Amino acid sequence: HAAFVSSGNGLQLRNGRIMFVINVRESSQKTAASFRNYVMYSDDGGHKWKVSRGSPKNYQGGNEAKIVELNQDGHLLMNIRPNGPVWKRLLSRSYDYGENWTEAKIQNDLPSSGSNGDMIYYTSTLNGYDKNRLITLVDARPYSSGANGGPGLPTFYISYDEGYTWSNSKCMYNNNAGYSSLAILKDGSIGILA
């Protein structure tokens, strides 16, 4: 019934596949539960595109999401924006280059607003670094009807175990922000748009 590509960066896998998360409304209803996340991908440099067969299932439906490639070939992690009432990120995994996805689970150590965030694989032992480091930047304050109605408090979280646990939270900015994006710069620093 409707579809759109999540804002922010896409991903290119080590095997060359280009992919973006798309949000698909699967019924005529416009409820949160009627939306699902699929992956749109190209294996020929963007000339032809396909859509994954599966999507992460969960009681909240799907919303804007980001994906990273993990250290084992074909293994991906999807970090999904929540729809509420539980304001925590949802995580799902694929073991076949994005064709099928596990059930999306609430990640209790990743509080988040209903705003899109970002996630990057910052360092990997495959590239000669001492540790695997996944970094996500999400807004810790959800939408509200008060004076500060928008999302805010963009906060960094880091995972050393391929996204199973997240720690070392650090608030980057103590005010309104949303739809943050991350990029690894040539000198190894992280560029942030919050």
Side-chain angles (χ1 to χ4, degrees):
H1 292 268
F4 67 92
V5 176
S6 291
S7 63
N9 297 316
L11 175 68
Q12 185 165 23
L13 304 184
R14 289 185 288 272
N15 69 3
R17 176 172 284 185
I18 301 168
M19 54 178 42
F20 294 89
V21 178
I22 57 174
N23 213 232
V24 176
R25 193 176 79 208
E26 294 185 328
S27 75
S28 60
Q29 298 175 355
K30 294 182 181 178
T31 63
S34 70
F35 284 89
R36 294 280 178 248
N37 294 111
Y38 289 86
V39 173
M40 179 176 73
Y41 64 89
S42 173
D43 290 323
D44 62 3
H47 293 283
K48 295 177 187 169
W49 293 86
K50 297 178 182 178
V51 175
S52 62
R53 292 187 302 267
S55 68
K57 303 295 188 262
N58 66 79
Y59 75 96
Q60 294 188 46
N63 210 315
E64 294 167 307
K66 294 294 183 290
I67 46 179
V68 292
E69 183 174 22
L70 301 173
N71 273 348
Q72 191 166 343
D73 277 352
H75 290 205
L76 309 175
L77 177 65
M78 186 183 293
N79 183 333
I80 305 166
R81 165 187 169 176
N83 290 322
V86 177
W87 295 107
K88 297 181 180 183
R89 302 297 283 194
L90 301 158
L91 298 184
S92 176
R93 293 173 186 271
S94 172
Y95 302 105
D96 59 3
Y97 297 95
E99 279 294 342
N100 296 286
W101 293 88
T102 64
E103 180 182 352
K105 303 281 188 182
I106 294 171
Q107 190 70 28
N108 286 315
D109 51 5
L110 279 181
S112 174
S113 73
S115 171
N116 197 11
D118 205 357
M119 179 174 60
I120 57 173
Y121 214 119
Y122 182 57
T123 63
S124 168
T125 55
L126 294 181
N127 296 329
Y129 290 94
D130 62 332
K131 292 181 184 175
N132 296 318
R133 293 175 180 91
L134 275 171
I135 296 175
T136 189
L137 177 63
V138 295
D139 299 313
R141 185 182 68 216
Y143 283 96
S144 69
S145 58
N148 292 322
L153 306 179
T155 303
F156 284 101
Y157 297 89
I158 189 166
S159 174
Y160 298 101
D161 61 3
E162 302 272 88
Y164 287 102
T165 60
W166 297 83
S167 61
N168 301 330
S169 64
K170 179 167 179 60
C171 184
M172 186 199 80
Y173 177 63
N174 195 20
N175 213 322
N176 293 348
Y179 287 76
S180 302
S181 189
L182 301 171
I184 302 170
L185 305 180
K186 287 182 180 179
D187 65 357
S189 60
I190 300 172
I192 304 161
L193 178 65

